[in-house]
Amino acid sequence: MVILSSVLATGALTLTACGSRDDNGGGDSGDSGGGTTLTIGVTAPFTGENSTTGLGIRYGAQIAIDDANKNKLVPGVTFKIKALDDKAQPATGQSNATAITGDKTAIGAVGPLNSGVAQTMQQVFASANMVQISPANTNPELTQGKNWQTDKKRPYKTYFRTATTDELQGSFAAGYAFNDLKKKKVFVVDDKQTYGAGLAKIFSDQFKKLGGQVVQTDHVNTGTKDFGSLVTKIKSSGADLLYYGGQYDESSLLTKQMKDANVKIPLFGGDGMYASTYISAAGAAAEGDLVTAIGVPADTLPAAKDFIATYKSKGYKGDYGAYGAYAYDATTAIIKAVKAAVDANKGDVPSDINALRSSVVDGVQKSDFEGLTGKVSFDQYGDTTNKQLTVYQVEKGKWKAVDTGTADLG
């Protein structure tokens, strides 16, 4: 898919590639003022399912690249972005990771959107000692290992994320459902994927811990269009809330078919549902439905004001609201780590790309700066230290923030 070449001896690094492009001109833009060119890969779904939020990641990273080049954040270095569409498919994500690490101008990657895709990419980046920062992955296993509930162990030192985990998101949602919405009987559905199934389980466990009842659970396949039999089960269960672990593609259809069948209970989901596409697809049926999303609302953050204005003025596709600002901060963390490596090398870009990649991994681990989303820093597992979460509800056809806080795991 991608053919890459580099020339290091002259100090000018070059890249040739066939990447994903759209009407806005692809992801290879960036000022070219001489010196050294370094590439940051971005992988997320830009087409098909989940593309609304995937494009938000792509262009959030692009704006960070443009700002860094404009402000000459690293003198003598021009940053370029290489955007690769993973289509929310694990195998494609793995191929993208191989393409990025095989490029001798690449010093890091931002993405992916989906936790299941990340699982296939982590080893590839670790083998190349290249930093990977996801602005969206929330499954706890990615940073804390398979036994994260009893014995946290970080699997890969190269993997980081600016999104908080589902341990907090699922628990936060359960607390809001039980204590604020006063719901006592919930029907839980997931899409069998790493993200959706993990989030649904954490929600269920915490909801029961608080004293609520999970009346029934079920699963759906991604790509399903007809939820008739599931709606019948929900209707007969007596549930006063449906919790869904998965993405907006299926949940928007599910809530519409549920409301059409006169099942007038809200659907509550995670950040995978937080997109304008959910509302446009579900129509009036979305009214009153809820999601949790990482961080605080982007439009309430003073530091994100220029970012949002730029995103809109460029006419970029997708939604910046869910992960755009987090992608910006993830990209900035990589760029700042490059600056630290250059400064430590007396102002010169290290000529050994492997040494530079290693320095960037170490630099990201030491991140400590104010980003668009607040303080950007990482703990010993590579998880963000920013634990804020927000509940949004559909009101008059738009997502409206109704509560912001942190999860109570007690």
Side-chain angles (χ1 to χ4, degrees):
M1 181 192 302
V2 180
I3 302 172
L4 306 134
S5 64
S6 69
V7 181
L8 290 172
T10 62
L13 306 181
T14 60
L15 169 67
T16 302
C18 297
S20 171
R21 293 183 177 273
D22 64 15
D23 295 339
N24 291 306
D28 291 326
S29 66
D31 295 334
S32 164
T36 301
T37 299
L38 298 177
T39 301
I40 296 176
V42 179
T43 177
F46 308 143
T47 57
E49 292 187 356
N50 314 152
S51 60
T52 297
T53 42
L55 287 168
I57 291 173
R58 173 180 180 168
Y59 294 121
Q62 182 67 62
I63 295 171
I65 290 281
D66 292 342
D67 284 350
N69 289 336
K70 178 182 176 182
N71 298 322
K72 300 189 185 320
L73 191 60
V74 186
V77 175
T78 297
F79 292 95
K80 295 186 72 174
I81 202 169
K82 191 62 203 171
L84 299 175
D85 183 2
D86 64 34
K87 300 180 174 61
Q89 298 296 322
T92 306
Q94 187 175 46
S95 295
N96 289 352
T98 300
I100 294 168
T101 57
D103 170 15
K104 297 304 181 182
T105 73
I107 40 78
V110 173
L113 167 70
N114 308 84
S115 292
V117 175
Q119 286 180 323
T120 68
M121 303 174 76
Q122 286 180 303
Q123 179 63 59
V124 179
F125 285 113
S127 296
N129 204 16
M130 181 186 289
V131 72
Q132 173 192 9
I133 310 179
S134 173
N137 297 159
T138 52
N139 186 275
E141 288 186 18
L142 296 171
T143 49
Q144 301 170 22
K146 292 185 179 298
N147 300 319
W148 63 270
Q149 291 176 303
T150 57
D151 184 23
K152 290 180 171 63
K153 289 183 180 178
R154 186 176 185 177
Y156 303 101
K157 72 171 186 176
T158 52
Y159 178 86
F160 300 81
R161 52 179 155 201
T162 51
T164 195
T165 72
D166 288 333
E167 179 183 17
L168 301 178
Q169 182 175 198
S171 298
F172 185 63
Y176 188 83
F178 187 81
N179 296 316
D180 295 83
L181 297 179
K182 306 299 182 184
K183 302 299 183 182
K184 306 303 178 186
K185 300 169 69 176
V186 62
F187 194 113
V188 178
V189 178
D190 70 70
D191 64 0
K192 305 180 187 177
Q193 302 300 303
T194 301
Y195 160 73
L199 180 61
K201 183 180 188 305
I202 292 167
F203 173 91
S204 297
D205 291 346
Q206 184 67 11
F207 191 76
K208 288 185 285 188
K209 187 176 180 180
L210 291 170
Q213 180 184 2
V214 176
V215 295
Q216 195 170 341
T217 62
D218 210 331
H219 315 278
V220 299
N221 295 313
T222 56
T224 297
K225 306 295 183 186
D226 183 357
F227 296 99
S229 61
L230 176 57
V231 168
T232 299
K233 293 178 185 178
I234 297 168
K235 189 172 186 177
S236 62
S237 71
D240 53 15
L241 177 73
L242 171 64
Y243 188 81
Y244 183 81
Q247 307 290 338
Y248 58 79
D249 303 273
E250 290 76 32
S251 57
S252 60
L253 297 177
L254 175 55
T255 198
K256 188 176 189 308
Q257 292 174 33
M258 187 171 69
K259 307 298 174 48
D260 287 346
N262 205 34
V263 183
K264 305 298 185 181
I265 63 174
L267 187 151
F268 196 174
D271 55 328
M273 279 174 44
Y274 181 48
S276 58
T277 306
Y278 177 83
I279 300 173
S280 61
E287 197 71 14
D289 287 352
L290 306 105
V291 297
T292 47
I294 59 174
V296 301
D299 55 9
T300 67
L301 296 166
K305 183 178 179 181
D306 289 343
F307 167 79
I308 295 171
T310 299
Y311 198 104
K312 291 179 177 179
S313 69
K314 293 282 188 180
Y316 286 148
K317 298 177 181 178
D319 279 356
Y320 65 80
Y323 309 114
Y326 292 90
Y328 184 103
D329 284 349
T331 308
T332 302
I334 295 173
I335 293 169
K336 284 182 175 289
V338 172
K339 185 179 189 307
V342 171
D343 289 346
N345 197 43
K346 300 180 179 180
D348 294 325
V349 178
S351 58
D352 183 344
I353 191 66
N354 293 319
L356 178 55
R357 289 177 175 179
S358 180
S359 295
V360 170
V361 172
D362 294 340
V364 168
Q365 183 65 66
K366 297 173 184 175
S367 295
D368 187 3
F369 65 92
E370 287 298 321
L372 300 187
T373 60
K375 183 178 179 180
V376 178
S377 60
F378 304 97
D379 64 16
Q380 68 269 35
Y381 303 106
D383 283 325
T384 178
T385 58
N386 185 351
K387 309 298 184 184
Q388 291 288 103
L389 290 153
T390 298
V391 176
Y392 296 85
Q393 188 167 28
V394 181
E395 292 188 13
K396 297 180 181 179
K398 294 183 179 180
W399 289 116
K400 180 181 178 181
V402 294
D403 187 49
T404 295
T406 57
D408 179 6
L409 301 180

